[in-house]
Amino acid sequence: MAKLKQGILGAISGTLGPIVGGMWKGIPYLRRRPKKGKTKKPRTAAQIANQEKFKFANNWLIPFQPFVAIGFHNQANGKTAIAAAFSANYLQVISGVHPNFVVDYPKVTISKGKLPPLENPVVQLTAPGVMKITWQPNSTTKTSYNDQLMLVLYSPELQIADGFIGSASRADAQYTFTFNPQLVGMVLEVYLTVVSLDRKRVANSQYMGRIEP
């Protein structure tokens, strides 16, 4: 039963036919009364498979989130950068069926944009836990000397990522990075990209290959 607390033109409290009235933080509101729940049909095998793939992809993406949050900042139209990164990788990267999903690491996208990438970058493991990156300065006017590097190292075995955002600039031409000791001796998938200093522009990420211990 509904009550008119402030007269015939006031807020409604309670249920009135298909309408429910109430207050939220002092603001009166009306909403449709929820329909009585129906017995849910058992999920089909295809529905279960899609749900498991979605769950796997979401969990797999978690270690990359600090990087793709910047790498997909310009792709987040009507959604978050994380959601944009998920959409870019879900169908292209993950295949197989539960529990044997496969990730195609060369196709993984960490960033997407129109900023020119680094020219001829090379990533080398020079010592346990030490990665050296070298590249050539860009000659195009569409770049800036202070564009920032982003390096991502990912261990499929440990399911953790490490790297940096902005520790080196495009003009440096080289940088040496000491990474997480947990990743020493692990197989690493390596990605490299570059972002503008104000984070408004970003290049397409480059897959730099698999580093074997």
Side-chain angles (χ1 to χ4, degrees):
M1 181 179 69
K3 295 181 181 180
L4 300 178
K5 292 185 177 182
Q6 300 172 7
I8 193 169
L9 299 178
I12 296 176
S13 175
T15 303
L16 181 63
I19 301 299
V20 177
M23 299 286 289
W24 181 78
K25 293 186 177 181
I27 303 172
Y29 68 87
L30 293 175
R31 62 180 174 85
R32 183 182 296 274
R33 184 173 63 181
K35 296 180 181 180
K36 293 183 179 180
K38 296 181 180 180
T39 303
K40 293 183 178 180
K41 296 181 180 180
R43 292 180 300 165
T44 65
Q47 289 174 326
I48 294 174
N50 286 335
Q51 184 178 21
E52 291 295 337
K53 182 179 179 180
F54 188 94
K55 181 180 178 181
F56 173 85
N58 187 64
N59 290 335
W60 167 79
L61 189 61
I62 289 175
F64 294 94
Q65 288 189 4
F67 306 102
V68 299
I70 293 176
F72 280 85
H73 174 74
N74 292 335
Q75 304 295 318
N77 298 319
K79 53 185 170 183
T80 66
I82 304 301
F86 184 95
S87 298
N89 287 285
Y90 181 66
L91 294 177
Q92 293 82 357
V93 170
I94 299 172
S95 61
V97 295
H98 177 75
N100 299 313
F101 292 113
V102 177
V103 178
D104 191 347
Y105 287 102
K107 293 183 179 180
V108 171
T109 303
I110 303 299
S111 66
K112 195 172 182 181
K114 297 181 179 180
L115 185 66
L118 295 177
E119 287 190 4
N120 302 318
V122 176
V123 178
Q124 295 176 309
L125 188 67
T126 57
V130 179
M131 200 76 71
K132 184 176 181 179
I133 314 158
T134 58
W135 63 95
Q136 295 178 355
N138 291 76
S139 57
T140 174
T141 57
K142 295 182 179 180
T143 65
S144 175
Y145 74 95
N146 61 4
D147 289 337
Q148 306 289 291
L149 267 68
M150 181 193 299
L151 175 73
V152 183
L153 311 176
Y154 178 73
S155 166
E157 181 177 346
L158 300 180
Q159 298 180 7
I160 61 175
D162 192 21
F164 63 82
I165 305 169
S167 296
S169 64
R170 192 188 291 268
D172 293 334
Q174 65 175 4
Y175 184 72
T176 300
F177 175 61
T178 301
F179 55 84
N180 187 340
Q182 286 184 276
L183 299 180
V184 174
M186 297 288 108
V187 172
L188 300 176
E189 306 291 348
V190 184
Y191 305 88
L192 187 65
T193 189
V194 61
V195 301
S196 61
L197 186 62
D198 60 8
R199 301 292 191 261
K200 291 183 178 180
R201 302 176 66 210
V202 62
N204 290 334
S205 58
Q206 298 169 274
Y207 176 64
M208 302 306 298
R210 177 174 296 168
I211 300 295
E212 302 284 350

